[in-house]
Amino acid sequence: FSQPYAFAAPGLDINLVSADGQDFTYSDAAAMAGLGVQFDLGGASLYAEGKYNYIFRPGSSTTGPIVQDIPLEAGLLFSL
């Protein structure tokens, strides 16, 4: 038995940086959306999903105004 799913959500990208002996934190607004499928294996489930991350980073001279990535993920979920 398999279950496809879709998701979308706002987010917050938080970065903790340590450089030249100084520590600082910055955060940016983000959005994500993706698709996945979950397979029931009895007492556990196998899943695979891909999502699109869009991070709004205004005024950054090193990474540009927008950061985008498409992570792929798979895993095994156990019932407790």
Side-chain angles (χ1 to χ4, degrees):
F1 176 56
S2 66
Q3 296 177 288
Y5 58 91
F7 56 92
L12 184 63
D13 180 56
I14 300 173
N15 291 278
L16 308 172
V17 180
S18 179
D20 297 328
Q22 297 181 356
D23 296 333
F24 60 95
T25 302
Y26 63 93
S27 60
D28 302 296
M32 70 172 189
L35 298 171
V37 64
Q38 183 171 332
F39 300 96
D40 187 17
L41 304 175
S45 296
L46 177 67
Y47 74 93
E49 68 182 32
K51 63 183 172 181
Y52 174 70
N53 291 325
Y54 188 93
I55 302 169
F56 306 91
R57 188 165 285 162
S60 175
S61 61
T62 58
T63 60
I66 298 169
V67 177
Q68 303 173 60
D69 66 356
I70 303 174
L72 303 175
E73 188 174 313
L76 192 59
L77 303 171
F78 295 97
S79 299
L80 296 178

